[in-house]
């Protein structure tokens, strides 16, 4: 069926045994013994609103080194924004001008990219906006995106995977004061950031980053930097803003009691109506907002899980690692009394999405992702070259991009600068929960996905934006290209 099967997979090493985590119910031999420290309560990243100065909302982020207690008796060296691991949740409002001063104290070069945001290319924080150690970079732009959950992370060429793995990532929440739908929005009370990652530790407690070209997956699941934590939830409607910030792992989320929940938002905005689900597949880079109904459920317990054993399109060389063969707990939930200002019912109508007109498309392009047995990974036969512009699009036009996956691994395709609408997945309309604004779309092996998008506001003939696979090791190994918007 496919001759691109990567056959020489790096052998697994440094996988813990006798671990105290609840995920390790499956048996595996020849593992090292390592005891990780399971988090008690769900860590909550600080909410950073910044300061208003001369009509601009100003934020300070410092990329720095830190250490965490992930392994019993050891210190784990990490990286973080304004702290030891991950970063604060930036809160911004649609229509405001923001200025983010990013200072690099990592001891090495990096960048900080605002994933999902519509902004000028020089403010994007991609591989071109490099920040050397000791230097600062000022990103300033107008918030034009819809209210939704976005994120930020490093994007240095060939180094993104490792820097994110060590801890550099954070959420960015955009709100809209004009939005009148009543949804849970008390941060850390009923509006909960859920950053899901997987990590591996070496004998000395250090983060073990194998650099596996096929994608780095690991055995310990972290939410907001805590290993399989517990979330104490009030008995009311709870909103999860879920970000898959893992380098390569795809999750198939659901709850231990198989309950239904509602998805209310995709990467770049609210859906038109809540969509009932029992499973939510989320690939690296993607976000989803869901509503969990805990009304009247005080004193009960449940778990937020990944039903990974159910996932299809499994590649035997990569996808079937121990975690993908099994269902596992991501976070436990203990339900306590409701709070005073609980939202008790979910609105039926969330938004009106302006669907782009397929008959007014200027250009249709096909982008084919490949993983040759040897050499770099490619899109349309080319692997990332900072000196080459791959695609030129025209300002104020719409295009359809058809993403073709000609490999045996799944690839979450991401494009900078814009949000898009999926029009077809393998020839048919996408599922209801994918009919909203997106900036990452998972393309399964052999599949092709078409989306429509519109390029507006920021023309620049020389400074490109990126598009790439969001499995960070694929991106780092060349599965990325550059496009510019011509006036
Ligand atoms: Cu989240 Cu180009 O990246
Ligand atoms: Cu991005
Ligand atoms: Cu990929």
């Amino acid at each position: 069926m496919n001759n691109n099967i990567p056959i020489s997979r790096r052998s697994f090493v440094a996988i813990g045994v006798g671990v105290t985590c609840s995920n390790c119910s499956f048996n595996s031999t020849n593992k090292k013994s390592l005891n990780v420290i399971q988090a008690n309560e769900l860590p909550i990243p600080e909410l950073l609103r910044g300061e208003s100065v001369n009509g601009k909302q100003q934020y300070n982020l410092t990329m720095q080194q830190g250490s965490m207690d992930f392994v019993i008796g050891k210190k784990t060296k990490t990286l973080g924004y304004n702290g030891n691991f991950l970063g604060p949740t930036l809160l911004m409002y649609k229509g405001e001008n923001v200025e983010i001063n990013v200072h690099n104290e990592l001891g090495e070069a990096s960048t900080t990219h605002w994933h999902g945001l519509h902004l000028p290319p020089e403010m994007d924080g991609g591989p071109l906006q490099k920040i050397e150690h000791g230097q600062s970079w000022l990103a300033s732009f107008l918030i034009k995106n819809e209210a939704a959950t976005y994120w930020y992370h490093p994007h240095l060429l060939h180094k993104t995977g490792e820097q994110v793995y060590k801890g550099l990532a954070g959420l960015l929440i955009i709100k809209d004061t004009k939005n009148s739908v009543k949804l849970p929005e008390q941060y850390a009370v009923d509006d909960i950031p859920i950053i899901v990652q997987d990590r591996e530790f070496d004998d000395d407690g250090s983060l073990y980053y194998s650099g596996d070209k096929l994608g780095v997956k690991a055995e310990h699941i972290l939410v907001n930097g805590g290993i399989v934590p517990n979330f104490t939830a009030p008995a009311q409607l709870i909103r999860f803003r879920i970000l898959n910030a893992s380098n390569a792992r795809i999750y198939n989320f659901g709850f231990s009691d198989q309950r239904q929940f509602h998805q209310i938002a995709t990467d770049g905005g609210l859906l038109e109506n809540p969509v009932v689900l029992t499973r939510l597949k989320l690939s690296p880079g993607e976000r989803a907002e869901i509503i969990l109904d805990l009304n009247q459920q005080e004193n009960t317990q449940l778990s937020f899980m990944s039903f990974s054993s159910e996932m299809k399109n499994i590649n035997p060389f990569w996808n079937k690692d121990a975690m993908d063969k099994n269902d596992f707990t991501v976070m436990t939930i203990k339900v306590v009394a409701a709070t005073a200002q609980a939202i008790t019912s979910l609105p039926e109508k969330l938004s009106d999405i302006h669907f782009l007109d397929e008959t007014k498309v200027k250009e249709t392009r096909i982008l084919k992702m490949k993983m040759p047995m040897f050499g770099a990974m490619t899109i349309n036969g080319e692997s990332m070259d900072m000196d080459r512009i791959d695609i030129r699009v025209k300002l104020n036009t719409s295009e359809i991009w058809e993403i073709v996956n000609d490999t045996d691994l799944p690839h979450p395709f991401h494009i900078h600068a814009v949000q898009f609408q999926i029009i077809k997945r393998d020839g048919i309309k996408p599922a209801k929960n994918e009919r909203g604004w997106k900036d990452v779309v998972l393309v399964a092996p052999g599949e092709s996905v078409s989306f429509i998008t519109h390029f507006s506001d920021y023309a620049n003939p020389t400074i490109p934006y990126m598009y790439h696979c969001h499995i960070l090791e694929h991106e780092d190994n060349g599965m990325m290209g550059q496009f510019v918007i011509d006036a």
Side-chain angles (χ1 to χ4, degrees):
M1 174 199 156
N2 191 313
N3 48 14
N4 296 325
I5 304 173
I7 38 173
S8 61
R9 197 220 175 291
R10 243 198 84 133
S11 58
F12 288 101
V13 280
I15 302 175
V17 82
V19 270
T20 52
C21 90
S22 57
N23 284 330
C24 308
S25 49
F26 44 82
N27 297 312
S28 183
T29 46
N30 63 48
K31 287 177 166 185
K32 293 181 189 173
S33 104
L34 201 61
N35 290 304
V36 298
I37 303 169
Q38 207 170 325
N40 294 319
E41 267 311 291
L42 174 70
I44 299 285
E46 177 204 353
L47 190 66
L48 196 66
R49 177 62 187 123
E51 263 178 66
S52 172
V53 182
N54 300 327
K56 285 192 173 174
Q57 203 66 26
Q58 295 184 335
Y59 302 80
N60 287 304
L61 288 178
T62 299
M63 308 174 86
Q64 59 192 64
Q65 303 178 347
S67 97
M68 293 285 282
D69 294 317
F70 285 132
V71 178
I72 293 171
K74 316 269 182 198
K75 286 280 174 201
T76 302
K77 280 193 182 154
T78 53
L79 303 178
Y81 287 93
N82 296 4
N84 290 310
F85 194 76
L86 297 177
T89 298
L90 306 180
L91 174 61
M92 297 174 176
Y93 282 83
K94 187 174 179 178
E96 74 185 356
N97 281 295
V98 300
E99 255 184 18
I100 315 155
N101 183 45
V102 186
H103 183 63
N104 178 357
E105 281 297 330
L106 296 175
E108 63 186 35
S110 191
T111 83
T112 293
H113 165 59
W114 320 107
H115 178 125
L117 296 200
H118 177 51
L119 36 62
E122 67 276 18
M123 298 300 167
D124 192 40
L128 284 82
Q129 287 85 44
K130 195 171 177 179
I131 318 167
E132 298 292 345
H133 168 74
Q135 302 294 303
S136 292
W137 174 63
L138 189 70
S140 79
F141 48 90
L142 173 66
I143 301 293
K144 297 188 84 132
N145 284 73
E146 300 291 324
T149 307
Y150 304 89
W151 65 301
Y152 58 94
H153 62 78
H155 213 306
L156 192 66
L157 195 66
H158 308 310
K159 290 289 275 183
T160 300
E162 190 177 347
Q163 292 187 341
V164 172
Y165 193 86
K166 288 184 173 164
L168 291 168
L171 277 188
L172 191 163
I173 294 176
I174 295 180
K175 294 195 176 188
D176 184 352
T177 49
K178 292 200 187 76
N179 213 332
S180 56
V181 274
K182 285 253 170 308
L183 291 166
E185 59 170 344
Q186 299 172 73
Y187 187 73
V189 177
D190 60 7
D191 185 350
I192 315 297
I194 303 281
I195 304 171
V196 184
Q197 299 176 306
D198 54 338
R199 294 292 183 268
E200 206 66 72
F201 305 98
D202 223 329
D203 279 348
D204 59 358
S206 62
L207 277 163
Y208 176 72
Y209 183 69
S210 70
D212 185 346
K213 271 182 73 168
L214 299 186
V216 171
K217 298 197 285 185
E219 193 188 7
H220 299 292
I221 301 298
L222 280 65
V223 184
N224 301 345
I227 298 173
V228 195
N230 176 70
F231 169 50
T232 303
Q236 62 202 59
L237 291 190
I238 305 288
R239 176 195 211 154
F240 281 179
R241 295 179 187 262
I242 310 168
L243 160 65
N244 182 352
S246 305
N247 284 37
R249 185 176 298 284
I250 298 162
Y251 299 89
N252 187 34
F253 293 121
F255 293 90
S256 50
D257 57 3
Q258 308 298 341
R259 70 173 58 215
Q260 296 183 333
F261 54 92
H262 288 89
Q263 183 170 349
I264 57 166
T266 49
D267 300 324
L270 290 170
L271 286 157
E272 291 205 303
N273 312 97
V275 176
V276 180
L277 299 173
T278 55
R279 295 287 185 271
L280 169 69
K281 203 192 258 187
L282 213 62
S283 64
E286 281 186 294
R287 291 86 64 211
E289 295 180 21
I290 65 166
I291 298 285
L292 166 65
D293 185 354
L294 295 176
N295 274 316
Q296 321 280 309
Q297 289 162 55
E298 193 176 339
N299 297 323
T300 62
Q301 296 189 17
L302 67 156
S303 295
F304 183 51
M305 300 187 59
S306 178
F307 294 92
S308 295
S309 70
E310 298 168 3
M311 279 194 286
K312 291 191 215 84
N313 296 308
I314 296 295
N315 172 303
F317 296 100
W318 182 76
N319 259 13
K320 271 281 180 192
D321 76 336
M323 302 292 280
D324 282 343
K325 283 184 201 152
N326 291 273
D327 303 335
F328 53 87
T329 300
V330 172
M331 180 174 82
T332 55
I333 301 169
K334 283 199 180 73
V335 189
V336 298
T339 62
Q341 298 109 348
I343 304 279
T344 51
S345 68
L346 184 59
E348 272 166 44
K349 181 82 185 169
L350 299 170
S351 75
D352 279 306
I353 295 173
H354 166 68
F355 288 97
L356 299 172
D357 188 347
E358 289 172 47
T359 65
K360 297 213 177 89
V361 157
K362 171 110 184 353
E363 198 80 53
T364 298
R365 301 176 197 273
I366 295 175
L367 286 87
K368 197 178 273 186
M369 298 183 279
K370 275 204 178 253
M371 303 174 75
M373 189 97 76
F374 303 102
M377 300 180 190
T378 60
I379 300 177
N380 285 350
E382 301 275 16
S383 85
M384 171 69 178
D385 180 346
M386 281 175 70
D387 295 328
R388 187 190 66 238
I389 303 295
D390 298 276
I391 293 177
R392 309 194 76 93
V393 307
K394 193 109 180 83
L395 186 70
N396 297 325
T397 66
S398 297
E399 296 202 357
I400 290 176
W401 286 23
E402 182 184 350
I403 315 301
V404 180
N405 181 349
D406 196 9
T407 78
D408 271 5
L409 295 187
H411 300 288
F413 183 89
H414 170 53
I415 177 172
H416 290 206
V418 292
Q419 293 287 324
F420 57 76
Q421 292 164 348
I422 304 170
I423 50 179
K424 278 190 186 120
R425 184 178 275 287
D426 260 345
I428 56 169
K429 239 182 141 177
K432 280 197 176 128
N433 68 319
E434 284 196 320
R435 295 183 202 163
W437 291 109
K438 297 278 297 163
D439 57 57
V440 180
V441 62
L442 180 60
V443 189
E447 211 174 35
S448 94
V449 173
S450 302
F451 63 73
I452 185 168
T453 191
H454 190 73
F455 300 93
S456 61
D457 300 306
Y458 307 113
N460 189 315
T462 53
I463 306 178
Y465 298 100
M466 309 293 133
Y467 56 84
H468 55 90
C469 174
H470 219 290
I471 288 181
L472 300 180
E473 290 72 28
H474 297 183
E475 171 189 333
D476 283 342
N477 282 287
M479 201 179 272
M480 175 154 67
Q482 307 192 102
F483 74 99
V484 294
I485 304 179
D486 285 318

